[in-house]
């Protein structure tokens, strides 16, 4: 369940409208039917490093406070590499951490059997229903871009219904090499924040990240919509900070972020994240009208 790139956006996958609500048919051994559709499954080592850095910086307390610090990597693709990296990055900071990679394609689950190291790291067949698990944190990257917008919203609903109390879903997309990323954090109450992250040296302007916006926003980046206003404001702040380019693109990014904050955009998190090429804004400021 990793993103299919290129022409896959011309034909959208669809979840049945009642998929999140009706009782799931049962399989052998009492397993619930996995919800979702397999995708191309491509991935690369370090592709998800930007979201992983954000998880380490912001979500370790949530995991440490949990009685069962379970993390699900939803739709890890044809290789276990990014799930293994997620476990390696979080485990030193979270005692008793368990990471489970879920894939809807049985062949992909079989292919990563050698990477299993339970209970620290395991792989199972499952989709948006989370295979009956109750994780504190779900990372779902490059999964929902193949779906139409209503189906993606139903997938959000299904995943969030399966979270442990106080749990979080982090859903987003990135390019093939992980240099441009965007993700939404949401809980049982709905979306909370949007984060943009990039190798800033590769950007001409912040709105270059529009191509990586998650499904809930990508079709709303048009005049009159809040996310479009936000990206235009970011571009203007970036242009105004051009004189700081001498000190490097990260300094320019941080200065542009400071300008956005001064203008009243509700930015979230430590300013130290700006120097990592990140910016997080409250969902209320960018949510589609």
């Amino acid at each position: 369940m990793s993103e299919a790139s290129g022409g896959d956006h011309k034909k959208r996958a669809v979840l049945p409208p009642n998929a999140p609500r009706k009782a799931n048919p049962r399989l052998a051994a009492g397993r619930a039917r996995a919800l979702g559709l397999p995708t191309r499954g491509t991935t690369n080592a370090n592709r998800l490093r930007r979201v992983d850095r954000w998880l380490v910086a912001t979500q370790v307390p949530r995991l440490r406070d949990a009685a069962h610090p379970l993390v699900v990597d939803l739709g890890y693709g044809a290789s276990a590499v990014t799930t293994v990296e997620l476990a390696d990055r979080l485990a030193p900071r979270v005692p008793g951490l368990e990471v489970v990679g879920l894939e809807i394609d049985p062949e992909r689950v079989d292919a990563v059997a050698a990477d299993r190291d339970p209970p620290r790291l395991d792989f199972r067949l499952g989709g948006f229903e989370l295979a009956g698990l109750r994780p504190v944190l779900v990372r779902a990257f490059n999964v929902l871009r193949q779906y139409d917008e209503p189906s993606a919203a139903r997938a959000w609903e299904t995943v969030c219904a399966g979270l442990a109390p106080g749990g979080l879903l982090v859903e987003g997309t990135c390019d093939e090499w992980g240099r441009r990323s965007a993700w939404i954090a949401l809980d049982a109450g709905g979306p909370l924040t949007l984060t943009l992250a990039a190798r800033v040296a590769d950007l001409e302007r912040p709105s270059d990240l529009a191509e990586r916006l998650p499904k809930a926003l990508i079709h709303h980046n048009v005049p009159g919509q809040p996310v479009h206003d936000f990206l235009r404001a970011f571009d203007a702040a970036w242009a105004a900070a051009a004189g700081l380019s001498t000190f490097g693109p990260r300094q320019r990014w941080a200065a542009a972020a400071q300008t956005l904050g001064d203008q009243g955009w509700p930015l979230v998190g430590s300013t130290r994240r700006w120097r990592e090429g990140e910016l997080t804004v409250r969902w209320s400021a960018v949510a589609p009208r």
Side-chain angles (χ1 to χ4, degrees), residues 208-223:
D208 291 348
L209 289 166
E211 65 184 15
R212 303 318 315 171
L213 288 172
K215 172 56 66 175
L217 288 174
I218 193 165
H219 300 302
H220 297 278
N221 183 29
V222 294

Side-chain angles (χ1 to χ4, degrees), residues 17 33 55 76 85 92 147 187 225 245 272 281 285 288:
R33 176 173 62 90
L55 292 173
Y76 56 83
E85 290 171 347
Y147 291 89
D187 61 13
Q225 286 286 349
S245 298
R272 288 178 295 180
V281 62

Side-chain angles (χ1 to χ4, degrees), residues 74 127-130 135 138 140 154-163 169:
L74 180 60
F128 299 130
E129 83 305 328
L130 303 179
V138 175
R154 286 192 291 274
W156 272 7
E157 180 183 344
T158 302
V159 173
C160 287
L163 293 171
L169 165 63

